[in-house]
Amino acid sequence: MLRRTLLAAGFTVVALSGAVAQTAAPTADNRFITVSSTTSTTDSGLFKELLPRFKAKTGIEVRVVSQGTGQALDTGRRGDADVVFVHAKPQEEKFVAEGFGVKRKPVMYNDFVLIGPKSDPAGIKGSKDIAAALKAVQAKGAAFVSRGDKSGTHSAELTLWKVADVDIDKDRGGWYREIGQGMGAALNTASAMNAYVLADRATWLNFKNRGELDIVVEGDKRLFNQYGVILVNPVKHPHVKKADGQIFIDWLVSPEGQKAIADYKINGQSLFFPNATQPGA
Amino acid sequence: MRETSSILPLQVCGLSCEIDGARLLENVSLDVATGGLTALIGPNGAGKSLFLRLCHGLLAPTSGTVAWQLDGGRRSGKKRHAMVFQHPMMLRRSVVDNLIHALATAGETRGEARRQAVAALERFGLAPLAKRPARNLSGGEKQRLAIARAAVLHPDVIFLDEPTSQLDPGATRQIERMLTELIAEGTTLVMATHDLGQARRLARRILYFSRGRLIEDAPAERFFTNPASPEARAFLAGELVW
Amino acid sequence: MDSGNAFVAALQLIAGFDPDFLRVVALSLRVTVTAVLIAALIGLPLGALLALSRFPGRALVIVLFNALMGLPPVVAGLIVFLLLSRSGPFGPFGLLFSPTAMIIVQAVLVLPIIIALTRQTVEDLWREYHDHLTSIDLVGLRAIPTLLWDGRFALATALLAGFGRASAEVGAVLIVGGNIAGYTRTMTTTIALETSKGDLPLALGLGIVLITLTILINAAAYGTSRIGIRYAG
């Protein structure tokens, strides 16, 4: 009786531990690097395409922590990543200048698109002038969702408001909604509120909960979005996996890595355009 | 089987106990020698239970002493007196495991404890209940188990606090049979009871308590036929008239 | 929102034995079971000790642990993050963004629950058992094994409550685990990620799996307490 009762009492825990013991831990490979990157590279599915190829070639597992660009750089600054892979050139250069990174290398670009509801309350659909479009959004007081999270996309958005000659700190009103979250969350919010939102094309193409949203402005040169990759400085953080991190960076900018990036397509559309060799990128 | 050096006699001297400013026991002195059953009787609140608890060491007295022949009522470091309570407290285990727990606590090895526990269950007629959860037993069964749990340690003295007050006459009889056996084996029993018939049937000696004082200490036969104190006489009369 | 799609997605995940999905579920279980076991190993004796000991400030400690039962996971996550970060005191161990970090943070979340409930259970039992255990000379710390064993049904419920809190939690494991695909991605962080990608059916499908698991665990907790009542009265 006692034994039976105990069996019953301990059943859950035992069963769970058993189940866990069965499914052994994932790859105990000790060769890995940690990369802090932006939400767009993960959410767009790019890494899912790149990393298995890289691992097959080098045997190095890449563990990607995806955060906003600001946070991803912070992660590198604290030494919690070996490589940062982000898109906000001024911040990246500052990161290197402060001695946290060894050297910034351009990898690829994609572009931002302005997303908005099909009803288009600002009347900007089809425009190729992002400055005029944003100005119209502000003038009409049409709902606009901002990441507000110091990410690369957020800082790009702030730059674009300046280009549009809108002082967003002063001219903001109830129509301007900062959510302090990632790209996906911003798109979900915009979808729910039928608001305009600036997004990177890759995340947009991968985004499924579109509702009434569609691209309203695209193709303006000012919407280009450059990605760079940086090895965290082993002088600041001696544990950084310098060699393996460098192998990853070298592969990304190599012809093979660049081709892999170009090959990643959704519905026949390229999401990222490699430009490691372009001067000044 | 009883060892020669007993912890008895027990010498109680000037025992007083105050709880929250109320004087519940007042200057009680007496000796308990080996053998037989000593019954504590008296009205509610007389201090019978408290007296047993003090003797057993569950409480410390305000003043006075409880002295055993052997230091602290222990022999080779082991407590040689046990107690059975009015409401038997059963561990959340089977009947046999309740006995094993007591034996293991007293220092028996697991195997030896099991062997002795099974033997005790046989002896007290509890063997059929061995695997039942102890807390699901009837009141009478629980009290028999509680007495077995005390007796299995072979103490020199067992204190019993109204062990049959909650039980029907049949169960009371079974308990009394167990107590008679224990007495016959030489275990000394000290028991509080409200059942005068029971005291008559079992006791060799009566301690009559009232309002915290020991009023009368007499051989049972004399106490029931001719109590010395007017209080005891009134108590008996009240009971007997009823 | 098409909840029919979500349900189909959930069924496909389960029935299809999708390796990524199984890995996520297995990791979630491994992390949470380990965290609860560690918290139990520390919390059961500590809770019992707290129940039986008397010292100045004891009431304060009890209130503290009761309050910590509601410790916001994000705060726990942040603290563990700062401790484990390469720039933090335990940085040299390189534990951040690993399953170990998630185990630590979940153990931190579960520990107050186990301590507080153990303290309550053992204290109640001790009040009930005091006379008998004192009678057989089983007092002080030596009484702890008996009290823990006899409180086993109530304590099992406490462990399952801890399991429930840990397995449902997302904020803390996201911060210290980093939600790395195939390495620190749990059910809850996957749900958060899929939601952010707008793949609501998949997110809800995983949610259904998680809820099912939670229901099973609660059923186990209920069953345990029923057995306990029958057995222990």
Side-chain angles (χ1 to χ4, degrees), chain C residues 210-232:
Chain C
L210 187 57
I211 288 168
T212 307
L213 196 70
T214 310
I215 290 172
L216 287 176
I217 287 161
N218 276 286
Y222 180 75
T224 306
S225 72
R226 293 299 299 173
I227 295 166
I229 288 165
R230 231 189 58 216
Y231 195 80

Side-chain angles (χ1 to χ4, degrees), chain B residues 53 56 58 74 79 82-83 85 89-94 101-102 105 133 135-136 149 153, chain C residues 125 128-138 142 145-146 149-150 152 230-233:
Chain B
R53 285 166 175 270
H56 190 47
L58 296 183
R74 282 155 210 275
K79 200 166 179 176
M83 185 154 175
F85 300 92
M89 201 294 302
M90 292 298 132
L91 299 178
R92 287 160 171 80
R93 308 166 186 223
S94 69
H101 178 263
T105 301
R135 298 171 74 87
N136 290 358
R149 195 169 59 183
L153 302 172
Chain C
L125 264 183
E128 187 189 337
Y129 282 17
H130 170 272
D131 281 350
H132 172 63
L133 296 187
T134 309
S135 171
I136 60 171
D137 259 3
L138 194 60
R142 292 194 307 121
T146 298
W149 178 249
D150 278 42
R152 59 199 179 276
R230 231 189 58 216
Y231 195 80

Side-chain angles (χ1 to χ4, degrees), chain A residues 250-262 274 276-277:
Chain A
D250 291 346
W251 183 79
L252 279 178
V253 300
S254 73
E256 187 189 343
Q258 295 276 295
K259 182 170 181 306
I261 291 169
T277 51

Side-chain angles (χ1 to χ4, degrees), chain A:
Chain A
M1 179 83 178
L2 178 65
R3 200 166 304 139
R4 204 145 35 91
T5 315
L6 288 182
L7 273 176
F11 176 75
T12 319
V13 174
V14 173
L16 288 177
S17 324
V20 169
Q22 295 272 320
T23 53
T27 51
D29 230 43
N30 22 9
R31 213 168 160 205
F32 70 91
I33 58 170
T34 305
V35 174
S36 67
S37 185
T38 66
T39 50
S40 52
T41 43
T42 301
D43 289 3
S44 63
L46 175 67
F47 275 138
K48 226 177 181 170
E49 179 74 19
L50 292 189
L51 299 185
R53 291 199 198 190
F54 176 68
K55 176 151 190 198
K57 185 178 166 73
T58 62
I60 300 170
E61 181 189 338
V62 179
R63 294 178 180 168
V64 180
V65 181
S66 44
Q67 304 166 322
T69 290
Q71 203 190 345
L73 285 167
D74 264 351
T75 300
R77 216 167 260 134
R78 264 190 315 272
D80 291 324
D82 303 305
V83 172
V84 292
F85 187 6
V86 293
H87 62 97
K89 196 173 169 187
Q91 290 184 50
E92 293 163 35
E93 284 170 342
K94 183 161 168 266
F95 181 83
V96 174
E98 287 167 352
F100 290 107
V102 176
K103 184 177 188 304
R104 175 186 175 275
K105 284 193 183 175
V107 178
M108 63 191 187
Y109 70 90
N110 69 347
D111 63 338
F112 291 116
V113 288
L114 187 65
I115 305 295
K118 288 185 181 127
S119 58
D120 193 22
I124 52 180
K125 193 165 169 63
S127 161
K128 294 224 180 281
D129 182 349
I130 185 67
L134 285 177
K135 187 86 193 156
V137 168
Q138 184 257 333
K140 295 257 169 59
F144 184 94
V145 171
S146 168
R147 293 274 295 273
D149 62 352
K150 299 204 165 110
S151 60
T153 307
H154 183 218
S155 63
E157 178 211 315
L158 294 178
T159 309
L160 289 172
W161 284 115
K162 264 183 217 143
V163 171
D165 202 22
V166 174
D167 183 346
I168 199 64
D169 284 330
K170 204 168 99 255
D171 296 338
R172 69 167 63 194
W175 57 275
Y176 186 78
R177 290 156 195 180
E178 269 188 335
I179 63 164
Q181 294 186 69
M183 194 68 256
L187 284 168
N188 272 328
T189 308
S191 172
M193 302 195 311
N194 274 335
Y196 292 95
V197 59
L198 187 72
D200 64 279
R201 185 186 296 272
T203 306
W204 167 252
L205 286 176
N206 246 309
F207 187 72
K208 299 204 173 77
N209 182 34
R210 293 181 180 182
E212 289 299 304
L213 297 183
D214 207 347
I215 293 177
V216 289
V217 179
E218 62 182 326
D220 189 321
K221 281 250 188 298
R222 289 169 291 190
L223 287 170
F224 283 4
N225 178 29
Q226 178 65 43
Y227 284 77
V229 64
I230 308 170
L231 180 71
V232 175
N233 196 344
V235 176
K236 287 250 179 193
H237 296 290
H239 62 269
V240 165
K241 291 172 180 155
K242 188 179 158 185
D244 284 355
Q246 194 61 51
I247 291 174
F248 180 59
I249 292 172
D250 291 346
W251 183 79
L252 279 178
V253 300
S254 73
E256 187 189 343
Q258 295 276 295
K259 182 170 181 306
I261 291 169
D263 283 351
Y264 181 54
K265 290 179 181 166
I266 293 178
N267 301 331
Q269 279 202 53
S270 283
L271 278 81
F272 296 94
F273 306 93
N275 65 344
T277 51
Q278 183 187 320

Side-chain angles (χ1 to χ4, degrees), chain B residues 20-209:
Chain B
D20 295 332
R23 202 130 180 108
L24 301 177
L25 204 65
E26 181 76 55
N27 197 25
V28 173
S29 298
L30 58 87
D31 287 7
V32 177
T34 299
L37 184 148
T38 300
L40 282 67
I41 62 172
N44 289 325
K48 306 184 296 292
S49 289
L50 184 58
F51 178 75
L52 294 176
R53 285 166 175 270
L54 287 165
C55 288
H56 190 47
L58 296 183
L59 289 171
T62 310
S63 62
T65 54
V66 173
W68 298 89
Q69 179 66 30
L70 291 177
D71 184 38
R74 282 155 210 275
R75 189 163 56 229
S76 325
K78 284 181 197 165
K79 200 166 179 176
R80 302 308 310 171
H81 49 108
M83 185 154 175
V84 173
F85 300 92
Q86 184 176 6
H87 305 284
M89 201 294 302
M90 292 298 132
L91 299 178
R92 287 160 171 80
R93 308 166 186 223
S94 69
V95 166
V96 67
D97 282 339
N98 263 271
L99 295 188
I100 290 173
H101 178 263
L103 286 159
T105 301
E108 300 292 352
T109 64
R110 204 76 199 161
E112 181 58 20
R114 172 165 293 278
R115 195 190 62 71
Q116 289 189 28
V118 169
L121 291 177
E122 284 291 340
R123 175 182 158 205
F124 294 113
L126 292 165
L129 304 176
K131 292 192 169 170
R132 291 261 304 276
R135 298 171 74 87
N136 290 358
L137 301 181
S138 72
E141 289 166 339
K142 275 186 198 167
Q143 198 57 285
R144 280 158 64 202
L145 177 57
I147 293 170
R149 195 169 59 183
V152 78
L153 302 172
H154 299 296
D156 296 354
V157 185
I158 301 177
F159 298 102
L160 303 105
D161 189 2
E162 301 187 32
T164 60
S165 64
Q166 317 275 321
L167 305 182
D168 64 37
T172 301
R173 278 300 144 131
Q174 286 181 304
I175 299 287
E176 290 184 7
R177 258 201 299 279
M178 282 180 87
L179 297 182
T180 309
E181 268 183 50
L182 289 170
I183 296 166
E185 283 169 12
T187 308
T188 305
L189 304 183
V190 180
M191 176 174 80
T193 181
H194 277 303
D195 182 341
L196 294 178
Q198 183 174 64
R200 258 182 214 261
R201 287 191 290 278
L202 298 175
R204 169 196 290 188
R205 175 189 181 190
I206 302 291
L207 302 172
Y208 179 75
F209 279 77

Side-chain angles (χ1 to χ4, degrees), chain C:
Chain C
M1 177 65 246
D2 190 346
S3 54
N5 276 355
F7 196 68
V8 171
L11 284 181
Q12 280 170 345
L13 282 174
I14 301 163
F17 290 106
D18 174 55
D20 281 347
F21 168 75
L22 287 182
R23 183 186 268 203
V24 163
V25 173
L27 177 72
S28 299
L29 287 177
R30 179 164 76 95
V31 165
T32 303
V33 167
T34 314
V36 170
L37 287 181
I38 289 171
L41 234 53
I42 301 168
L44 291 175
L46 220 57
L49 197 66
L50 190 56
L52 298 182
S53 56
R54 296 290 177 271
F55 55 89
R58 175 176 177 268
L60 201 72
V61 174
I62 290 172
V63 170
L64 184 72
F65 278 117
N66 286 346
L68 283 178
M69 286 203 282
L71 175 70
V74 187
V75 176
L78 182 62
I79 293 168
V80 172
F81 174 87
L82 291 174
L83 290 175
L84 296 186
S85 167
R86 286 289 185 180
S87 303
F90 300 104
F93 297 106
L95 293 176
L96 195 66
F97 302 141
S98 72
T100 309
M102 299 196 290
I103 290 169
I104 291 171
V105 83
Q106 289 198 350
V108 166
L109 287 174
V110 173
L111 189 60
I113 296 182
I114 295 183
I115 289 181
L117 295 181
T118 303
R119 202 266 316 157
Q120 189 64 54
T121 301
V122 169
E123 205 168 303
D124 290 348
L125 264 183
W126 174 243
R127 201 167 296 134
E128 187 189 337
Y129 282 17
H130 170 272
D131 281 350
H132 172 63
L133 296 187
T134 309
S135 171
I136 60 171
D137 259 3
L138 194 60
V139 292
L141 302 187
R142 292 194 307 121
I144 287 179
T146 298
L147 293 168
L148 287 180
W149 178 249
D150 278 42
R152 59 199 179 276
F153 298 106
L155 295 175
T157 312
L159 295 197
L160 290 170
F163 188 91
R165 174 158 157 99
S167 64
E169 196 285 317
V170 59
V173 289
L174 191 58
I175 294 174
V176 306
N179 194 22
I180 297 169
Y183 184 57
T184 58
R185 190 160 289 177
T186 66
M187 279 192 276
T188 53
T189 61
T190 308
I191 291 172
L193 179 67
E194 294 305 333
T195 303
S196 81
K197 282 159 75 172
D199 196 344
L200 302 190
L202 179 58
L204 198 55
L206 272 163
I208 290 170
V209 173
L210 187 57
I211 288 168
T212 307
L213 196 70
T214 310
I215 290 172
L216 287 176
I217 287 161
N218 276 286
Y222 180 75
T224 306
S225 72
R226 293 299 299 173
I227 295 166
I229 288 165
R230 231 189 58 216
Y231 195 80

